[in-house]
Amino acid sequence: MEFSAKQIAALLGGKIEGDENRSVSEISKIETAGNRSLCFIANPKYEEYLYTTDAAIVLVNEQLQLTAPVKATLIRVPDAYAAFASLMQYYSEMAKSELPKGIEQPCFIADSAKIGNDVYIGAFSYISAGAVLADGCRIYPNSFVGRNVQLGTKVTLYSGVKVYDECMIGARSIIHSGAVIGGDGFGFAPQADGSYQKIPQLGNVVIEEDVEIGANCTIDRATMGSTLIRKGVKLDNLIQVAHNVEIDECTVIAAQAGIAGSTKIGKRCMIGGQAGIIGHLTIADHTHINAQSGVSKSVNDPHTVLNGTPAFDYKSVLKSQAIFRHLPEIQQKLARLEQELRNLKSDNTATAEGQ
Amino acid sequence: MEFSAKQIAALLGGKIEGDENRSVSEISKIETAGNRSLCFIANPKYEEYLYTTDAAIVLVNEQLQLTAPVKATLIRVPDAYAAFASLMQYYSEMAKSELPKGIEQPCFIADSAKIGNDVYIGAFSYISAGAVLADGCRIYPNSFVGRNVQLGTKVTLYSGVKVYDECMIGARSIIHSGAVIGGDGFGFAPQADGSYQKIPQLGNVVIEEDVEIGANCTIDRATMGSTLIRKGVKLDNLIQVAHNVEIDECTVIAAQAGIAGSTKIGKRCMIGGQAGIIGHLTIADHTHINAQSGVSKSVNDPHTVLNGTPAFDYKSVLKSQAIFRHLPEIQQKLARLEQELRNLKSDNTATAEGQ
Amino acid sequence: MEFSAKQIAALLGGKIEGDENRSVSEISKIETAGNRSLCFIANPKYEEYLYTTDAAIVLVNEQLQLTAPVKATLIRVPDAYAAFASLMQYYSEMAKSELPKGIEQPCFIADSAKIGNDVYIGAFSYISAGAVLADGCRIYPNSFVGRNVQLGTKVTLYSGVKVYDECMIGARSIIHSGAVIGGDGFGFAPQADGSYQKIPQLGNVVIEEDVEIGANCTIDRATMGSTLIRKGVKLDNLIQVAHNVEIDECTVIAAQAGIAGSTKIGKRCMIGGQAGIIGHLTIADHTHINAQSGVSKSVNDPHTVLNGTPAFDYKSVLKSQAIFRHLPEIQQKLARLEQELRNLKSDNTATAEGQ
């Protein structure tokens, strides 16, 4: 597909600077763009590339001041990043016309499963008894949908997703390859002989609308009731969500973070990669937790920013971490002070004796 | 299914307080119970809910003292938690009557594989040459069982489990979706040109009886000999067990922990989430390792409790962590002391000179 | 298969000490070797086993000095570890004659896919439209190869690997079970109402030749352009590689490490288990990053060794960590000094007043 600067400017409501007939066939980063590329500059630190790039068309912020001549055709828009995102979305929507369709064979669909209209089911996928797939669901090959699972409209399960029995996934949610939804929570009762008896995990997982779950995440079913992922939550890859956890609306969590059992995370939180949160806590709305932090206490105040293990107030952690690097000097200084004090005392004694 | 207080009390040997004819159709948490719910209270901090809950029946400890009127029918038992676990187990066993059975088509079973009685093999599962599945195994759809793999009686592989060639899994063990058993250990010999030559991983993984392995865990095969998971071990999700590791009986490990090559973990240890243990260590029986700890030395004494990175004695770590928060004040105090000492010295000099 | 000491010595160019007709049928660790075993000793700390082992044949370093009689036949070579690795490689190559071959049914191969010679495609694997599999590829059962994916000669995808559309994997690379190549990068534009809009991830993943990717790793596709894994890179299990990351030649990364978006890792780096590297950094060649470290700044100097969170110079971290353990004593010492200084000042005052 090919687009001219004129077409793109029309689509975005932007203002052209340069040749309006130049055209592009690919989207690139400005550092590596070729002469058929469309790029954007939102971050000022990439501005230098504007004067050397081979790109055909560059989206820039309305108010950008040029400091040298530019070869590319510019399209000025109020927010270059947002405009670029819209454009990519548009491009991506067009690509969807090529999405796979229909029921491929062989697949396994139990007699009692209910399959909506315009559903794609890839070969080697398995739809269990009582499962309900609403209109427009796309189930890529080698996926497993357990008994009585309910998938809302336009849910996407990429290849190899496993959804255990009784779980529910809301409309438009996207689950990436290898994610496991509804495995047993980790619950065992210690026995007198030191062994463990499995506690049956009788609940389920409920994922609401517009959620995205990354590749190879594991979201365990509740012991009773539901592990709950509210609408708009975005999880990166390899995240562990234990039984009975609740994650409220529009919280985003980076890769390899883990949340232990029964913890409740508020709305619009941001949790960094490899962070860990122990069980049975409550984390207030808008909490930010830094990468690799270990949270061991509930957070009561919204907009708290945490860091470190055990995690506490972000700025305080930074101060302590900065001093941590200087512990050897602190130790030396302390030893020197001790010595000086000792000297002073013996001087004083000498002075006193001398008097 | 529906059960009356009378039936449940009979099953558990408990004592009824209230209407013995009230009945329940679901198991719930006391905080969210409806009027068809059965609940339990073991932890005193949930006792307050007893006086407000809509639950029909609540299991409580024999000696519980009521401090207000209760609407629910109570069943008193010696240990409410254990009674509840038994009840859930019972419920779960009943549910097993609905488990899938038989050999679904299409599946792939090599001619030389041996399949016991009452085995379930789901569609799109692959049983390689020489594999042996004992009676009562349940292999959910899209699983892979490699060459000469041996599965004991009643082993469960949930959907999408991959077991590489030559591995062995003991009776009643449960492997959750996406777990990979027997992938190559991470062994490479550095070459003169800076590249790496793969060291063939010729061993296997041996998992004994009554083990549970969580979703998306990875347990690598030994370079030679066996990576060994002893009976009764319980692993949560996303855990990494490297080649030639040995984990002894009834040790439990929380999600996202990782154990590097050739380390031996003792019996009945408890290892927290996201903890890491480096290679070639020996960890004594009953060791507790806190979440996110990094263990870099062997543990010789049983019942040691470790924390932090690098991990050391739990209580000492807590003390150091508490002071870590106050490093800025310590630094200030030290600066003040230095200044005071300097003042004192100049005073002394002045005094000395003044004399 | 059985080999005599004479055959092995001939293969390795080694020198026999003892009975050249002794033969072996298995490869073992020296600690657990039986009388049909071949072992090696490279690490001096295992030398003690040489005098007690039942092994039939032991490979040792040329210059090893015996301190007691040995039952086993010894084969002396310049580098026992390298010789052993070659031997295992040889053994492994022989085993490859038993590798699965051909196209198993049922599998799904789109009409427009191009399949080379000597390719193995296991049952229930799915090869999408436009995919190209060069000669000698081996695709184990239940794998998914997306649209227009290109696999070089002799690529191995173990059971359950998922490769999203448009990704490329170079010759001889090995991808272990459950790895997900090319899932969407984690990119969302925050909206005014607090929700997030998905940013389409239009790039791909390019994996070059001789790469190994461990089980259940996740390597995300670029937003634009390519996430790039250069030749000879080795990744252990459960590693997260975010969108637009580049990992240069022959870097090795241990299990559960994570690399955030757009970070560039140099050549021949070594990154420890559970380490994390934040986004948009550049890490110089030959950097060593210790297990569980958290890297938050670019590394400019090659051969830097980092440790801790936030990571800094390895030796400095060790010093600070050592003092961290003694923080309680430091705090006490500081309090004592304060008291002594106070005493001294009041003494001085007393002295001064006394004058």
Side-chain angles (χ1 to χ4, degrees):
Chain A
M1 287 176 292
E2 194 168 300
F3 303 93
S4 69
K6 203 169 166 182
Q7 287 173 310
I8 294 168
L11 192 69
L12 297 174
K15 192 167 147 288
I16 298 176
E17 221 164 283
D19 179 0
E20 70 177 24
N21 294 317
R22 285 194 75 173
S23 67
V24 292
S25 58
E26 58 179 11
I27 288 174
S28 311
K29 291 186 286 185
I30 193 151
E31 311 93 283
T32 58
N35 65 3
R36 306 285 295 149
S37 293
L38 170 73
C39 310
F40 78 105
I41 291 179
N43 188 332
K45 87 178 191 194
Y46 288 93
E47 223 174 278
E48 54 174 303
Y49 292 105
L50 187 58
Y51 307 106
T52 55
T53 186
D54 289 328
I57 304 177
V58 185
L59 302 183
V60 298
N61 288 330
E62 227 159 45
Q63 78 284 10
L64 177 79
Q65 306 271 358
L66 295 183
T67 60
V70 168
K71 283 186 300 177
T73 294
L74 303 184
I75 300 178
R76 291 183 179 268
V77 289
D79 179 341
Y81 181 67
F84 188 72
S86 307
L87 211 59
M88 288 211 292
Q89 197 64 52
Y90 183 76
Y91 183 93
S92 176
E93 290 298 326
M94 286 196 313
K96 277 189 191 157
S97 62
E98 300 169 27
L99 287 177
K101 291 191 183 75
I103 311 290
E104 293 176 353
Q105 294 301 337
C107 69
F108 184 104
I109 302 178
D111 293 343
S112 60
K114 286 181 191 144
I115 311 295
N117 297 315
D118 297 316
V119 164
Y120 166 61
I121 299 181
F124 318 125
S125 276
Y126 189 104
I127 314 295
S128 302
V132 178
L133 281 63
D135 296 350
C137 283
R138 292 191 290 137
I139 312 299
Y140 281 79
N142 297 102
S143 294
F144 174 80
V145 175
R147 289 187 185 195
N148 302 321
V149 164
Q150 294 182 36
L151 306 183
T153 53
K154 298 196 177 181
V155 163
T156 300
L157 306 185
Y158 280 104
S159 178
V161 168
K162 312 301 177 198
V163 185
Y164 281 55
D165 298 353
E166 313 291 341
C167 294
M168 299 167 68
I169 301 180
R172 296 172 304 279
S173 289
I174 297 169
I175 317 290
H176 283 281
S177 284
V180 177
I181 310 299
D184 283 350
F186 195 63
F188 298 92
Q191 304 298 294
D193 66 354
S195 72
Y196 290 88
Q197 190 196 352
K198 183 174 176 65
I199 297 175
Q201 303 292 310
L202 304 174
N204 71 346
V205 174
V206 174
I207 294 173
E208 295 187 346
E209 309 90 72
D210 298 305
V211 168
E212 187 156 343
I213 308 276
N216 287 344
C217 285
T218 57
I219 313 216
D220 279 353
R221 70 198 303 106
T223 308
M224 292 177 293
S226 299
T227 302
L228 197 48
I229 314 286
R230 294 278 186 200
K231 63 184 181 184
V233 166
K234 311 294 180 187
L235 303 187
D236 200 349
N237 301 329
L238 289 167
I239 289 169
Q240 153 74 357
V241 177
H243 49 183
N244 292 93
V245 163
E246 296 182 21
I247 304 179
D248 212 340
E249 289 177 29
C250 297
T251 280
V252 296
I253 306 185
Q256 296 178 317
I259 302 166
S262 299
T263 282
K264 288 178 174 47
I265 313 272
K267 293 188 214 313
R268 300 178 216 296
C269 295
M270 301 187 74
I271 299 178
Q274 298 183 337
I277 305 179
I278 68 163
H280 298 275
L281 302 186
T282 301
I283 306 295
D285 295 347
H286 295 281
T287 298
H288 285 218
I289 297 173
N290 257 52
Q292 287 194 336
S293 298
V295 179
S296 51
K297 286 184 180 164
S298 287
V299 174
N300 300 316
D301 299 333
H303 298 282
T304 299
V305 184
L306 292 174
N307 193 17
T309 302
F312 57 101
D313 164 55
Y314 177 67
K315 284 186 185 164
S316 303
V317 171
L318 287 193
K319 282 181 198 160
S320 284
Q321 284 176 343
I323 299 171
F324 177 79
R325 290 170 176 247
H326 295 289
L327 280 181
E329 293 118 85
I330 285 182
Q331 197 181 41
Q332 282 163 20
K333 194 176 280 188
L334 196 57
R336 204 167 54 234
L337 275 186
E338 264 188 308
Q339 185 56 47
E340 287 183 14
L341 195 63
R342 217 173 296 134
N343 293 346
L344 204 57
K345 279 162 78 177
S346 68
D347 283 359
N348 275 8
T349 311
T351 310
E353 282 172 355
Q355 287 188 324
Chain B
M1 287 176 291
E2 193 169 300
F3 303 93
S4 69
K6 204 168 167 181
Q7 287 172 311
I8 294 167
L11 193 68
L12 297 174
K15 193 166 150 287
I16 298 175
E17 221 163 283
D19 179 0
E20 70 176 23
N21 294 317
R22 285 195 75 172
S23 66
V24 291
S25 57
E26 57 180 10
I27 289 174
S28 311
K29 291 186 285 185
I30 194 153
E31 311 93 283
T32 59
N35 66 2
R36 306 286 295 152
S37 294
L38 171 74
C39 309
F40 78 105
I41 291 178
N43 188 331
K45 88 177 191 194
Y46 288 93
E47 222 174 280
E48 54 175 304
Y49 292 106
L50 187 58
Y51 308 107
T52 55
T53 186
D54 289 327
I57 305 177
V58 185
L59 301 183
V60 298
N61 288 329
E62 226 159 46
Q63 79 284 9
L64 176 80
Q65 306 270 357
L66 295 183
T67 59
V70 169
K71 283 186 302 178
T73 293
L74 303 184
I75 300 179
R76 291 182 180 269
V77 290
D79 179 341
Y81 181 67
F84 187 71
S86 308
L87 210 61
M88 286 211 292
Q89 197 63 53
Y90 183 76
Y91 183 94
S92 176
E93 290 299 326
M94 284 195 315
K96 278 191 191 156
S97 61
E98 299 169 27
L99 287 177
K101 292 193 183 73
I103 313 290
E104 292 175 355
Q105 292 304 336
C107 70
F108 184 104
I109 303 178
D111 293 343
S112 60
K114 287 181 190 145
I115 311 295
N117 297 315
D118 298 317
V119 164
Y120 166 61
I121 298 180
F124 317 125
S125 276
Y126 189 104
I127 313 295
S128 302
V132 178
L133 280 64
D135 296 351
C137 282
R138 291 191 291 137
I139 313 300
Y140 281 79
N142 296 102
S143 294
F144 174 81
V145 175
R147 290 188 184 191
N148 302 321
V149 164
Q150 294 182 35
L151 305 182
T153 54
K154 297 194 177 181
V155 163
T156 299
L157 306 185
Y158 279 103
S159 179
V161 167
K162 311 301 177 198
V163 185
Y164 280 54
D165 299 352
E166 313 291 340
C167 295
M168 300 167 68
I169 301 180
R172 296 171 303 280
S173 289
I174 296 169
I175 318 290
H176 282 282
S177 283
V180 177
I181 310 298
D184 283 350
F186 195 62
F188 298 92
Q191 306 297 295
D193 67 353
S195 71
Y196 291 88
Q197 191 196 352
K198 183 175 176 65
I199 298 174
Q201 304 291 309
L202 305 173
N204 70 347
V205 174
V206 174
I207 293 173
E208 295 188 346
E209 309 90 72
D210 299 305
V211 168
E212 188 156 342
I213 308 277
N216 286 345
C217 284
T218 57
I219 314 220
D220 279 353
R221 68 198 306 106
T223 308
M224 292 178 292
S226 300
T227 302
L228 198 49
I229 313 286
R230 295 278 186 200
K231 65 184 182 185
V233 166
K234 310 294 180 189
L235 303 188
D236 200 347
N237 301 330
L238 289 168
I239 289 168
Q240 152 74 357
V241 177
H243 49 182
N244 293 95
V245 164
E246 297 182 20
I247 303 178
D248 212 341
E249 289 176 28
C250 298
T251 280
V252 295
I253 305 185
Q256 297 177 316
I259 301 165
S262 298
T263 282
K264 289 178 172 49
I265 312 272
K267 294 187 214 309
R268 299 177 217 297
C269 294
M270 300 186 74
I271 299 178
Q274 298 182 337
I277 305 179
I278 68 163
H280 298 275
L281 302 185
T282 302
I283 306 295
D285 296 347
H286 297 280
T287 298
H288 285 218
I289 297 173
N290 256 52
Q292 287 193 336
S293 298
V295 179
S296 51
K297 286 185 181 166
S298 287
V299 175
N300 299 316
D301 299 332
H303 298 282
T304 298
V305 184
L306 292 175
N307 194 17
T309 302
F312 56 100
D313 164 55
Y314 177 68
K315 284 187 186 163
S316 303
V317 172
L318 287 193
K319 282 181 198 159
S320 284
Q321 285 176 343
I323 299 170
F324 176 79
R325 290 170 176 247
H326 295 288
L327 280 182
E329 293 119 86
I330 285 182
Q331 197 181 41
Q332 284 163 19
K333 194 177 278 186
L334 197 57
R336 204 167 54 234
L337 276 186
E338 264 187 307
Q339 185 55 46
E340 287 185 14
L341 196 61
R342 218 173 294 132
N343 293 347
L344 205 57
K345 279 163 77 175
S346 70
D347 283 0
N348 274 9
T349 311
T351 310
E353 284 172 354
Q355 285 187 326
Chain C
M1 286 176 290
E2 194 169 301
F3 302 94
S4 70
K6 204 169 165 181
Q7 288 172 311
I8 293 168
L11 193 68
L12 298 174
K15 192 166 149 286
I16 299 176
E17 221 164 284
D19 179 359
E20 69 176 25
N21 294 317
R22 285 196 74 174
S23 66
V24 292
S25 58
E26 58 178 11
I27 289 174
S28 311
K29 290 186 286 186
I30 194 153
E31 311 94 283
T32 58
N35 65 3
R36 305 286 296 150
S37 293
L38 170 74
C39 310
F40 78 104
I41 291 179
N43 187 332
K45 88 177 191 194
Y46 288 92
E47 222 173 279
E48 54 174 303
Y49 292 105
L50 186 59
Y51 308 106
T52 55
T53 186
D54 289 327
I57 304 177
V58 184
L59 301 184
V60 297
N61 288 330
E62 226 160 46
Q63 78 284 10
L64 176 80
Q65 306 271 357
L66 296 183
T67 58
V70 168
K71 282 186 300 175
T73 293
L74 302 185
I75 299 179
R76 291 182 179 270
V77 289
D79 180 339
Y81 181 67
F84 188 72
S86 308
L87 210 61
M88 288 212 291
Q89 197 63 52
Y90 183 76
Y91 183 94
S92 176
E93 289 298 327
M94 285 197 312
K96 278 190 191 157
S97 61
E98 299 169 27
L99 287 177
K101 289 190 185 75
I103 313 290
E104 292 175 354
Q105 293 303 337
C107 69
F108 184 103
I109 303 177
D111 293 342
S112 60
K114 288 183 190 143
I115 310 295
N117 297 315
D118 298 317
V119 164
Y120 166 61
I121 299 180
F124 317 124
S125 276
Y126 188 104
I127 314 295
S128 302
V132 178
L133 280 64
D135 297 350
C137 283
R138 292 191 290 136
I139 312 300
Y140 281 79
N142 297 101
S143 294
F144 174 80
V145 175
R147 289 187 185 194
N148 302 321
V149 164
Q150 295 183 34
L151 305 183
T153 54
K154 297 194 177 182
V155 163
T156 300
L157 305 185
Y158 280 104
S159 178
V161 167
K162 310 301 176 199
V163 185
Y164 280 55
D165 297 353
E166 312 291 341
C167 295
M168 300 169 67
I169 302 180
R172 295 172 303 280
S173 288
I174 297 169
I175 317 290
H176 282 281
S177 283
V180 177
I181 311 299
D184 283 350
F186 195 62
F188 299 90
Q191 304 299 293
D193 67 353
S195 72
Y196 290 88
Q197 191 197 351
K198 183 174 176 67
I199 297 174
Q201 305 291 310
L202 304 173
N204 71 348
V205 174
V206 175
I207 294 174
E208 295 188 346
E209 310 90 72
D210 299 305
V211 169
E212 187 156 344
I213 308 276
N216 286 345
C217 284
T218 56
I219 315 220
D220 279 354
R221 70 197 305 105
T223 308
M224 292 177 293
S226 300
T227 302
L228 198 48
I229 313 285
R230 295 277 187 201
K231 65 184 182 184
V233 167
K234 310 295 181 187
L235 303 187
D236 200 349
N237 301 329
L238 289 167
I239 289 169
Q240 153 74 356
V241 177
H243 49 181
N244 292 94
V245 163
E246 297 183 20
I247 304 179
D248 212 340
E249 289 177 27
C250 298
T251 280
V252 296
I253 305 185
Q256 296 177 316
I259 302 165
S262 298
T263 281
K264 290 179 172 45
I265 312 272
K267 296 187 212 309
R268 299 178 216 297
C269 295
M270 301 186 74
I271 299 178
Q274 298 182 336
I277 305 179
I278 69 163
H280 298 275
L281 302 186
T282 302
I283 306 294
D285 296 346
H286 295 282
T287 299
H288 285 218
I289 296 173
N290 257 51
Q292 287 193 335
S293 298
V295 179
S296 51
K297 286 185 181 166
S298 287
V299 175
N300 300 315
D301 300 332
H303 297 283
T304 300
V305 184
L306 292 175
N307 194 17
T309 302
F312 56 101
D313 163 55
Y314 178 67
K315 284 187 186 164
S316 304
V317 172
L318 287 192
K319 281 180 199 161
S320 284
Q321 285 176 343
I323 299 170
F324 176 79
R325 289 170 177 247
H326 295 289
L327 281 181
E329 294 119 84
I330 285 181
Q331 196 181 41
Q332 282 162 21
K333 194 176 280 186
L334 197 57
R336 204 168 54 234
L337 276 186
E338 264 188 308
Q339 185 55 46
E340 287 183 16
L341 196 62
R342 217 173 296 132
N343 293 346
L344 204 57
K345 279 164 78 176
S346 68
D347 282 1
N348 274 9
T349 312
T351 310
E353 285 173 352
Q355 288 188 323

